[in-house]
Every structure is written in structure tokens, then in C-alpha cells.
Amino acid sequence: MGYKVVVAGATGNVGREMLNILAEREFPVDEIAVLASRRSLGTEVSFGDKTLKTQDLATFDFTGWDMALFAIGSDATKEYAPKAAAAGCVVIDNSSLYRYDPDVPLVVPEVNADAVLGYSKKNIIANPNCSTAQMVVALKPLHDRAKIKRVVVSTYQSVSGSGKEGMDELWDQTKSVYNPVTEVPPKKYPKQIAFNVIPHIDVFMEDGSTKEEWKMVAETKKIVDPSIKVTATCVRVPVFVGHAEAINIETEDFLDEDEARDILREAPGIMVVDKREDGGYVTPVECVGDFATFISRIRQDATIENGLNFWCVSDNLRKGAALNAVQIAEVLGQKVLKKG
Ligand SMILES: NC(=O)c1ccc[n+]([C@@H]2O[C@H](COP(=O)([O-])OP(=O)(O)OC[C@H]3O[C@@H](n4cnc5c(N)ncnc54)[C@H](OP(=O)(O)O)[C@@H]3O)[C@@H](O)[C@H]2O)c1
């Protein structure tokens, strides 16, 4: 016997990827419902070798469904997640709405799988921000060995991180640079994204940081360890899929770069590709469609006593969203619901 699974936001970037990953990982599904807004009623989406028609989330009855994987943005989540949860369906949510709620676990299975057990207070489990998810997978094993005191991270985030509209804007603007007849002014982003980089993701906070940067700080503390200090600069780059991060860590105990490389090689969810030669590292286009978080360029930071630098790349629609959500569903199944 398998699960009755709902995918809400099935026409979006993350929703489509969740369907792909449920099929790829042969998640034990007995019945599946795909939902989106009324605008998309009847739109066809793929699930393995099947084609499914989307239903309207607004009129869907969650009674009798085991779990619902949500990827519909915070506003719609606010309206529909409590309804699904009240009907007894466990919500695994990709939006930021519940991430900082003390009664909702924020889970990256390689790091804090047991936190899933805290789902029952609200019947909701939160998935972290894409840039946090890939970073904490790498931080956790290093923290366990040498206790990380401080992290300095700069991100290079792809446009798929801001949904279908972000991808369309990069595509259309890139074409318009070659064919200036059709001007494509910035709409989704505050400045031109084609052939440019923008040091601004999400809204500005009072202290001058952005909400995306704040999320990396708050979520790392909730998932890994509240004592870790994080400072982040988040940058949108003209890449379609795949986030990259330059990460610097300062640890309590000395950690040699070779030992760090060995630890990361053994760590779940990580692939180390670190050859000190031309092309001996991973770039975003190479990580697309993969489950792993790739680590390259591991090296000592000689400017402090106990410091390391490394490069971290992952498919933001997978580990940063859809894969992590499906992994949470797997843990929920194994530890709690126990079907399949
Ligand atoms: N992209 C990433 O890397 C990433 C990473 C982590 C978390 N997330 C989060 O995942 C969520 C979805 O992101 P995305 O990139 O997949 O966005 P997207 O490509 O723009 O897709 C949005 C999806 O939500 C549906 N939707 C929007 N408003 C709705 C409503 N009122 N009722 C029902 N369905 C509604 C859309 O349906 P229609 O097609 O009918 O409009 C569509 O299926 C967001 O909360 C985002 O913050 C994204």
C-alpha cells in the first residue's frame, strides 16, 4: 500500500520537478492529484509515463490524502496549507511562510531528518530556501568535526529561483539584446538581468541586508546550530538553473583541507569534484538534473587560524526545492506514516 499524494503548484518550476523526482525515486504513490490555480484548470503535466490534468486548488478537498507537497508561494500557502493540514493531510511546504515558526520543523534530511517528527503540532513541515539547503548539506559534516564559528557566503543564484517569470525575463531580454527592436525592460528584476549581475534578492531589511541574506542566516541557525554566525551576500546571475556559492568558514578546531575533502567525500548528498587543473570543478550548467550538491575548490584560508574556502553548486530546483521536499516525504513515510 502506498500514499495518496497531492502536488500543489504542479504547473510551476518546482511543482513539475517534484513530479519528476517522485517518479524518478519511485516514491510509493497509490494515487496522485495535481493542483494549480483556476487559470491552469485542465493543463496537462507529466508524472513518469503518465499525463495528468491539473485541478483547481481552491475547490480541492484534502480529506483522506496523506501528504501534500506545496510550491505555490507564500500568499496562496497562507490560504490553503491550513485547510489541508486541518483535513489531516501533512503539508510539505516550499514557501517561506512557515520556515521560522517554532511549531514547524525546517528540514534538510541529510542534516536534521529527526526534526520531521515535530510535524504534528501543525501538520506542516517547511522546506528551506534554495541557497540555504545546498549550503547546510556541506556545513553539517564539517561542523560535526571542527565546530563552525562563522560562515561568510556569496551566492550566484540562477533565475529559476524566482519562478517561471524570472526564466522568461532572462530569455526575452537576452534575445532583445541581439534584436533591439523588441525592448524588454526589467519587470521581475529591479535591473536588467541579461548580461548582468544583480546584488539584490527579495526585499531590503532595515539593516541594509536583503531578506534572502537574512533567510540564509536564520535558516542555517534553525537547521544546523543556533551558535553559527552567518553573513551573506546574495546575487542574481544570468544563469537559468543551478545556484553557486563561494563559502568561507572559520572553525573552532583546525581542519586541514585534505581532511575536509575526505569528510565531504563521505558525507550524504555531496559529490566532491576538486582537481586543481583547468575545469577540475563543477559549474551550474553541469549540476542541472542531478541530485547531488557538488563541492570544489576546497582550500585553506591562510588569513585566519582555522579557515577554509570552498565552492558549492547545486540544482536549485532539485536540492534547493523539489528534491528536498520529496526527501522529506520519504522520511515522513519511513518514520511516521509507515506505508509503502
Ligand atoms: N524556484 C526555486 O528555486 C525555489 C526554491 C525554493 C523554494 N521555492 C518556492 O517554491 C514556490 C514555487 O516556486 P516556483 O519557482 O515553482 O514558482 P512558479 O514557477 O512561478 O510556479 C508557481 C506555481 O504556483 C501556482 N500558484 C500560484 N498562485 C496560486 C494560487 N493562488 N492558487 C493555486 N496555485 C497557485 C501556479 O499555478 P498557475 O500556473 O496556475 O499560476 C504555479 O503552479 C515558491 O513559494 C518559491 O518561493 C522555489
Side-chain angles (χ1 to χ4, degrees), residues 9 11-14 37 39-40 71-73 94-95 160-161 163-164 316-317 320:
T11 53
N13 277 342
V14 175
S37 75
R39 294 180 292 274
S40 309
I72 56 173
N94 276 285
S95 83
S160 57
K164 292 179 285 191
N316 54 293
L317 298 177

Side-chain angles (χ1 to χ4, degrees), residues 108 273 295 314 328:
V108 174
V273 178
I295 304 295
S314 195
I328 291 174

Side-chain angles (χ1 to χ4, degrees), residues 10-315:
T11 53
N13 277 342
V14 175
R16 285 177 192 272
E17 208 57 38
M18 289 197 295
L19 289 165
N20 290 338
I21 293 171
L22 285 167
E24 274 173 42
R25 292 172 75 96
E26 299 179 351
F27 188 80
V29 172
D30 260 6
E31 204 178 331
I32 190 156
V34 289
L35 314 179
S37 75
R38 197 160 298 150
R39 294 180 292 274
S40 309
L41 190 66
T43 301
E44 292 187 341
V45 293
S46 301
F47 174 58
D49 53 12
K50 295 192 187 73
T51 301
L52 308 172
K53 280 197 165 55
T54 53
Q55 305 177 49
D56 181 6
L57 170 61
T59 55
F60 187 78
D61 181 1
F62 286 89
T63 312
W65 292 83
D66 294 304
M67 52 177 93
L69 279 58
F70 270 51
I72 56 173
S74 292
D75 291 344
T77 301
K78 198 172 191 172
E79 187 171 352
Y80 299 109
K83 285 185 186 162
C89 174
V90 183
V91 174
I92 300 170
D93 180 35
N94 276 285
S95 83
S96 59
L97 186 70
Y98 292 103
R99 289 180 195 156
Y100 319 106
D101 182 331
D103 291 337
V104 173
L106 179 63
V107 179
V108 174
E110 292 89 343
V111 180
N112 64 341
D114 285 347
V116 161
L117 299 172
Y119 81 99
S120 57
K121 285 190 187 147
K122 288 202 169 157
N123 245 9
I124 298 173
I125 301 167
N127 213 27
N129 185 40
C130 39
S131 44
T132 310
Q134 69 183 71
M135 182 172 79
V136 297
V137 172
L139 294 186
K140 172 69 174 161
L142 302 176
H143 185 58
D144 286 346
R145 160 65 183 80
K147 196 159 181 11
I148 296 172
K149 293 200 295 191
R150 179 168 183 256
V151 179
V152 183
V153 54
S154 300
T155 69
Y156 305 74
Q157 297 182 222
S158 68
V159 293
S160 57
S162 35
K164 292 179 285 191
E165 289 171 7
M167 298 179 86
D168 289 345
E169 190 153 313
L170 173 58
W171 179 248
D172 294 339
Q173 260 177 15
T174 304
K175 285 189 296 182
S176 81
V177 169
Y178 291 107
N179 181 16
V181 182
T182 49
E183 205 184 310
V184 182
K187 199 165 134 207
K188 181 76 185 170
Y189 299 112
K191 298 207 181 212
Q192 177 183 317
I193 184 65
F195 304 98
N196 202 9
V197 297
I198 307 174
H200 172 192
I201 302 180
D202 211 329
V203 297
F204 274 94
M205 312 282 287
E206 239 172 48
D207 67 356
S209 63
T210 63
K211 186 86 184 279
E212 184 82 354
E213 291 156 359
W214 177 86
K215 285 175 191 169
M216 292 191 81
V217 176
E219 294 177 19
T220 302
K221 285 178 182 290
K222 184 164 175 180
I223 298 165
V224 187
D225 186 337
S227 73
I228 298 180
K229 292 178 183 162
V230 179
T231 181
T233 301
C234 292
V235 181
R236 187 73 67 196
V237 297
V239 167
F240 282 102
V241 180
H243 287 1
E245 298 174 346
I247 300 175
N248 174 273
I249 60 169
E250 183 176 3
T251 53
E252 194 130 334
D253 303 327
F254 178 75
L255 182 56
D256 174 74
E257 60 189 22
D258 292 329
E259 189 186 350
R261 197 173 293 111
D262 289 344
I263 289 171
L264 290 167
R265 272 207 181 98
E266 296 297 316
I270 286 185
M271 284 274 286
V272 173
V273 178
D274 192 18
K275 294 189 190 137
R276 294 177 173 180
E277 61 187 38
D278 292 353
Y281 42 81
V282 173
T283 58
V285 290
E286 295 157 291
C287 77
V288 177
D290 224 299
F291 286 149
T293 293
F294 294 90
I295 304 295
S296 309
R297 306 284 326 276
I298 303 164
R299 61 209 190 277
Q300 226 77 46
D301 172 4
T303 66
I304 49 175
E305 217 169 304
N306 298 329
L308 281 172
N309 287 304
F310 57 93
W311 176 247
C312 171
V313 172
S314 195
D315 181 332

